[in-house]
Amino acid sequence: MTRIAAFLLAFASLVGPSYAQGVTRLSPEFIARILSSHNVERSAVGVAPMRWNAKLADDAQLWADHLALTSTFEHSPEPPKGQEVGENLWMGTIHAYSFEEMVGGWIAERKDFINGVFPNVSRTGNWDDVGHYTQLIWAETREVGCAVADNGEDEFLVCRYAKAGNWFGQPVLATGTPQFAHNASAQYPKLSVSLPD
C-alpha cells in the first residue's frame, strides 16, 4: 500500500463512514438522475442539454466533502485553477430528500424568474432570488458535474457548471451580444439585447 493510499484510508477512518459515504454517491444512477433533473428543466425553457463533466464532479466532491467536514454552508472562495465555473449549493437533512428534490429546490426559484438580461431577471427585483435557477438554465452553460457528501446530520450537494452563468449584461436564455442604448426619457442607459436571427 502506498503512503498516499494509507493516508487516505486513515483519514477516512478518522472522519467516519458518513463523511466517506458522499464519495460513493457518484454512481451511474446518481449521474443520470442529477443530469436528468437539470436537462428536463433546460428542455422546458428551450436550451440545449448539459453533458456530465467528471472533472467538475471531482472538484465538486472536494468542496462537498469540505462543507460536510466543517459543517459550513458557503460557496467555494475560488474556482478550480484554470476554470471559469459556476456553482450551486444545496443542504438539507440527511436521507430526507431525493436528488430530484435537491435540484428541485433550485428549480422552484422559477416562480420569480423573468427572462431577460442578467441581473434584471427576477420579479422581486433581487437576482439572488433566482440565481440558482438562472445558473441551471443558462444557455451558454453546457457541462455540469455534481457531488454529495454528508456529516451524519446534513447532506451537501455541490454542482459545478461550465461555462459559468449569471454574467451581468448577458441574456439568460439566448446567446448574443448585449447592446447598450441610451434611453431618451431617463438619465441612465437602458440595456437592450440584439440576438442573431
Side-chain angles (χ1 to χ4, degrees):
M1 184 179 321
T2 68
R3 286 179 184 244
I4 293 173
F7 170 77
L8 291 175
L9 186 59
F11 182 72
S13 67
L14 285 175
V15 296
S18 62
Y19 176 76
Q21 182 180 8
V23 177
T24 64
R25 293 286 179 96
L26 294 181
S27 68
E29 179 188 359
F30 170 82
I31 293 169
R33 290 172 64 188
I34 291 288
L35 199 53
S36 176
S37 296
H38 281 75
N39 286 334
V40 164
E41 186 63 24
R42 288 175 64 85
S43 176
V45 298
V47 295
M50 286 192 274
R51 299 179 301 276
W52 188 259
N53 180 311
K55 175 69 173 125
L56 290 174
D58 290 345
D59 292 337
Q61 188 68 67
L62 292 173
W63 192 245
D65 290 345
H66 168 79
L67 295 176
L69 182 63
T70 60
S71 294
T72 56
F73 188 66
E74 61 189 2
H75 282 287
S76 176
E78 47 187 78
K81 292 186 182 195
Q83 294 184 32
E84 199 174 89
V85 300
E87 178 178 78
N88 277 351
L89 304 177
W90 180 93
M91 182 182 93
T93 303
I94 188 170
H95 305 304
Y97 300 89
S98 69
F99 300 132
E100 293 81 5
E101 288 170 320
M102 293 174 183
V103 174
W106 303 328
I107 294 171
E109 295 175 0
R110 172 183 50 212
K111 71 183 179 358
D112 291 321
F113 173 69
I114 299 170
N115 186 20
V117 174
F118 198 85
N120 301 315
V121 294
S122 176
R123 294 181 204 293
T124 68
N126 183 0
W127 71 264
D128 284 334
D129 294 336
V130 297
H132 300 101
Y133 183 67
T134 54
Q135 173 59 82
L136 190 146
I137 62 167
W138 197 265
E140 292 185 358
T141 299
R142 298 298 168 90
E143 297 182 316
V144 63
C146 305
V148 175
D150 71 74
N151 61 9
E153 293 181 15
D154 295 308
E155 285 183 292
F156 301 82
L157 172 65
V158 176
C159 288
R160 296 271 173 94
Y161 302 88
K163 169 181 178 188
N166 295 348
W167 287 97
F168 279 62
Q170 297 294 316
V172 175
L173 293 179
T175 58
T177 305
Q179 303 294 319
F180 291 89
H182 286 284
N183 182 344
S185 65
Q187 69 183 59
Y188 300 105
K190 181 180 177 184
L191 182 65
S192 64
V193 178
S194 297
L195 302 174
D197 292 338

